[in-house]
Amino acid sequence: MQTLPTQAVVLAGGQGSRLRPYTDDRPKPMVEIPGTGIPIIGHQLSWLAAEGVTHAVVSCGHLAEVLQDWLGSTVLPLRVTTVVEAEPLGRGGGLKYAAKGLPRPDEPWYATNGDIWTSFSLREMAGFHAERDAVATLALARPRIPWGAVETDEFGHVLDFIESPPSPYLINAGVYVFSSAFTDLLPDRGDHERTTFPRLARERSLAGFPLPQGAYWRAIDTAKDLTEAARELASRSR
């Protein structure tokens, strides 16, 4: 019988240098989406709770106390604990360190990067993961190219201009489903995307879940991303 994950790790330790000055006094996940009054991590925790998650481990780093203070003073829809790396462990080492705080190590778990604002069915993704008997599953997004594209024919004639077309490539969307065995495969230090993920891909144990048509997804990495997220939010609420 399939066990849906009820626990998750949120990686919230990044410095967010490209989001300055917003991140001068707060970590990136604490930056508010304009028009909502809620930081990115607040949206994430609400989404995780709505998808059946009852416990989240938040991995803190840059200005950790600001995030911890907010978590401690806010009514949250699920149980949240925090961990702070005493020294930099790299993305893979940090993920492994945070996973040690999960309450049920023998069960599958979700993970998400702390700068992702999205909404889709994690339960559907977990089912996809289980059907393929994967050790790890990545959500895959097709972002829009930030520049306009030019379409030409074989003779070099310009046929059309396309504003911000969708990318022809799928990218790692920063949301994951992991089996319980995945934790032991992570490096103690270093980057799992250069070690663990390639190994699982060679073994055909790494799956990719394309986000459903119409699912909202955005990585909040720059001030422009904040502006566009606010505009998209306003258009969806009309």
Side-chain angles (χ1 to χ4, degrees):
M1 182 177 176
Q2 176 189 341
T3 300
L4 291 174
T6 58
Q7 54 188 356
V9 167
V10 179
L11 298 173
Q15 292 194 10
S17 56
R18 296 210 294 164
L19 257 176
R20 287 177 178 157
Y22 297 100
T23 51
D24 285 344
D25 61 354
R26 70 196 64 193
K28 188 195 290 191
M30 280 300 299
V31 173
E32 292 183 1
I33 302 295
T36 70
I38 301 172
I40 298 168
I41 193 165
H43 293 281
Q44 290 184 324
L45 294 175
S46 293
W47 171 54
L48 290 171
E51 291 295 324
V53 174
T54 59
H55 189 122
V57 177
V58 178
S59 177
C60 308
H62 173 64
L63 296 173
E65 65 281 1
V66 177
L67 179 50
Q68 289 174 319
D69 287 348
W70 182 84
L71 291 170
S73 62
T74 304
V75 177
L76 301 171
L78 72 175
R79 176 173 166 77
V80 174
T81 54
T82 62
V83 297
V84 182
E85 296 176 31
E87 56 183 320
L89 300 174
R91 290 194 296 178
L95 186 60
K96 186 173 188 175
Y97 180 70
K100 291 178 181 178
L102 292 169
R104 295 173 289 280
D106 58 340
E107 295 182 10
W109 47 290
Y110 299 117
T112 180
N113 295 342
D115 60 354
I116 301 299
W117 190 29
T118 187
S119 181
F120 65 91
S121 173
L122 283 174
R123 292 181 177 91
E124 184 178 334
M125 184 177 173
F128 180 97
H129 169 84
E131 286 170 2
R132 284 148 185 81
D133 196 25
V135 174
T137 297
L138 292 64
L140 303 176
R142 193 181 300 277
R144 289 196 168 274
I145 298 171
W147 308 282
V150 179
E151 183 181 352
T152 64
D153 64 17
E154 65 270 27
F155 302 108
H157 300 119
V158 173
L159 301 177
D160 200 3
F161 296 90
I162 307 170
E163 186 67 26
S164 297
S167 169
Y169 301 104
L170 292 167
I171 66 165
N172 180 349
V175 180
Y176 312 91
V177 182
F178 297 134
S179 71
S180 58
F182 178 76
T183 308
D184 290 337
L185 301 178
L186 286 164
D188 293 325
R189 292 177 179 270
D191 188 347
H192 61 294
E193 295 194 12
R194 296 187 178 184
T195 55
T196 310
F197 279 175
R199 170 186 168 184
L200 292 177
R202 290 192 298 270
E203 296 172 354
R204 297 296 185 268
S205 296
L206 183 66
F209 173 76
L211 294 188
Q213 185 73 24
Y216 183 78
W217 178 89
R218 178 172 285 279
I220 308 296
D221 195 42
T222 65
K224 182 180 179 182
D225 292 324
L226 275 178
T227 301
E228 292 181 352
R231 186 177 65 244
E232 290 162 353
L233 176 65
S235 66
R236 294 206 315 272
S237 62
R238 287 177 188 147

